[in-house]
Amino acid sequence: MSKYLLIGGAGFIGAAIAKKLVLAGNEVSILELPGSYVDRLDVIKEKINLYYGNLNQVDVIKDLILENDINVVLHLASSLIPSSSQSQYVEDIEKVVIPTINLLPLFSELNIKLIFFSSGGAIYGENLNGSLSENHLLAPISYYGQAKLLMEESIKFESRKSGLDYIILRPSNPYGIGQSLYGKQGLIATCIHNILNRKTIQIWGDGSVVRDYIYIDDFVEIVINVINMATSREIYNIGSGNGHSVNEIIEMLKKIVDKTIEVEYVQNRAVDASSIILDISKLKNIINFEYTSLETGIKNFLLYESSDKPI
Ligand SMILES: NC(=O)c1ccc[n+]([C@@H]2O[C@H](COP(=O)([O-])OP(=O)(O)OC[C@H]3O[C@@H](n4cnc5c(N)ncnc54)[C@H](O)[C@@H]3O)[C@@H](O)[C@H]2O)c1
């Protein structure tokens, strides 16, 4: 059985994966920044090893890997989102990209399988026709996407150089229980926050921007399957393969809450590609998966969030 280290494992995606791994009887260690929000791990806190530290502490991470006999590392740490600025990009290079580059030879030396969480949208950039396969041109138009590209290239380079074992995952837009309603990322979470707080939802542009949404439980199940079944040194898109516009999501929410939702359309953003739908044929070659429908996923999320705050 594998022993996992999740770097950035108290975040939305990491905590959801950690819970599932623990439930399946795996040993899980988590490295998180001192002072970070770790409440998502409350239900499993007795069953995991939670360490406070930083990506840039190569010796600490080496000891942690050896002490816990880790053989799989999930890299979930990032300080950027698609709207991040140039100065935040430079800071991410210092605090995430370079420390990761410094860690890669260690992972190789210790025969670690590295699972890197890249981006399934921002790394591809603008796309006007059809869905995006893993071989599509990488042409980010955001600093976030560009930072992911630097990370992917560094991982592939280290693998050519020293044989690093890796899988790169390119997630679309995971949403659902555990996602922060207060973050600057995540359309569905933001809409739910505004509905529950009776606030107007601001939409950048005319609401035609299309994204590929995936329910967090589906996402986690797929990630764990990919880690166990996929060929190493490969890249996998992880999404639903379907696109929905912002306006469709708003209509779906209206139907679910059965009342009007206040919406205001504002100036669109240069960092938002008009359509991102992932081609998931490569994923389907290794996994046969029944997805939660978008409506059911949104209903579950809304129901959970409205348990102490009636709609
Ligand atoms: N959530 C999404 O919609 C989405 C979509 C595509 C890709 N991703 C990628 O998946 C990964 C996880 O996303 P998430 O939504 O769980 O993010 P998150 O912000 O909820 O979690 C990231 C965690 O990393 C930790 N972290 C940051 N810098 C660190 C450092 N130097 N050392 C140790 N820990 C550090 C943070 O404290 C945080 O808990 C990220 O790399 C993100 O870019 C997320």
Side-chain angles (χ1 to χ4, degrees):
M1 184 146 308
S2 296
K3 294 184 180 170
Y4 298 85
L5 168 64
L6 278 61
I7 302 179
F12 167 47
I13 292 177
I17 294 175
K19 283 180 204 162
K20 189 87 184 171
L21 288 174
V22 166
L23 205 69
N26 295 287
E27 279 182 39
V28 174
S29 299
I30 287 178
L31 180 77
E32 257 300 338
L33 289 176
S36 60
Y37 176 80
V38 295
D39 293 17
R40 293 185 183 96
L41 300 172
D42 274 355
V43 286
I44 51 166
K45 67 175 177 221
E46 313 295 339
K47 296 187 173 138
I48 54 168
N49 305 309
L50 177 57
Y51 296 89
Y52 290 99
N54 198 311
L55 263 178
N56 61 16
Q57 295 169 303
V58 179
D59 291 340
V60 170
I61 294 176
K62 182 174 185 175
D63 290 348
L64 201 161
I65 289 174
L66 293 175
E67 202 177 298
N68 295 286
D69 210 8
I70 302 289
N71 48 5
V72 182
V73 172
L74 278 65
H75 185 311
L76 298 131
S78 167
S79 67
L80 300 178
I81 56 173
S83 58
S84 295
S85 65
Q86 201 257 356
S87 61
Q88 288 167 322
Y89 168 64
V90 172
E91 199 176 321
D92 189 77
I93 291 176
E94 283 164 12
K95 295 194 171 153
V96 177
V97 179
I98 293 173
T100 302
I101 291 173
N102 287 332
L103 275 171
L104 295 176
L106 174 75
F107 291 157
S108 198
E109 178 198 325
L110 299 179
N111 291 319
I112 294 291
K113 180 184 233 178
L114 173 66
I115 313 298
F116 175 63
F117 288 73
S118 180
S119 163
I123 201 155
Y124 295 118
E126 190 56 274
N127 174 55
L128 296 174
N129 34 25
S131 54
L132 298 151
S133 84
E134 290 84 352
N135 297 325
H136 193 90
L137 173 74
L138 303 180
I141 55 170
S142 64
Y143 291 114
Y144 169 68
Q146 183 60 25
K148 292 293 188 191
L149 182 54
L150 292 178
M151 295 279 271
E152 286 198 8
E153 284 305 323
S154 305
I155 290 167
K156 289 194 277 183
F157 165 72
E158 189 61 43
S159 184
R160 286 193 297 274
K161 195 178 149 295
S162 65
L164 175 69
D165 187 0
Y166 72 85
I167 296 176
I168 291 172
L169 306 178
R170 293 190 182 146
S172 58
N173 293 274
Y175 72 95
I177 299 166
Q179 189 169 23
S180 169
L181 299 191
Y182 305 94
K184 292 189 176 134
Q185 196 185 14
L187 170 73
I188 295 170
T190 304
C191 288
I192 290 179
H193 175 260
N194 286 20
I195 291 169
L196 296 180
N197 291 285
R198 293 169 170 71
K199 284 166 80 177
T200 302
I201 298 170
Q202 274 200 347
I203 294 171
W204 296 302
D206 61 3
S208 62
V209 165
V210 169
R211 290 290 178 273
D212 178 331
Y213 297 90
I214 179 165
Y215 191 53
I216 186 68
D217 292 5
D218 297 351
F219 180 74
V220 167
E221 185 108 18
I222 291 173
V223 166
I224 293 174
N225 274 300
V226 169
I227 295 173
N228 291 328
M229 288 151 68
T231 315
S232 283
R233 299 178 186 87
E234 291 282 345
I235 300 177
Y236 291 89
N237 279 340
I238 305 195
S240 71
N242 290 309
H244 295 275
S245 71
V246 176
N247 287 332
E248 270 181 73
I249 304 268
I250 299 288
E251 284 311 311
M252 210 174 270
L253 279 160
K254 275 187 194 162
K255 195 176 139 207
I256 294 169
V257 299
D258 195 22
K259 59 187 218 181
T260 36
I261 296 174
E262 295 299 327
V263 172
E264 180 194 4
Y265 291 90
V266 296
Q267 180 63 42
N268 64 346
R269 306 182 305 175
V271 292
D272 289 325
S274 57
S275 174
I276 296 173
I277 306 169
L278 297 185
D279 177 339
I280 52 166
S281 327
K282 189 169 170 184
L283 184 66
K284 280 187 167 164
N285 284 338
I286 51 168
I287 295 171
N288 190 3
F289 193 79
E290 193 75 34
Y291 286 89
T292 305
S293 74
L294 185 59
E295 191 168 339
T296 304
I298 294 180
K299 259 189 207 160
N300 290 349
F301 191 12
L302 188 70
L303 211 67
Y304 176 85
E305 293 296 344
S306 59
S307 58
D308 59 349
K309 204 168 206 177
I311 302 163

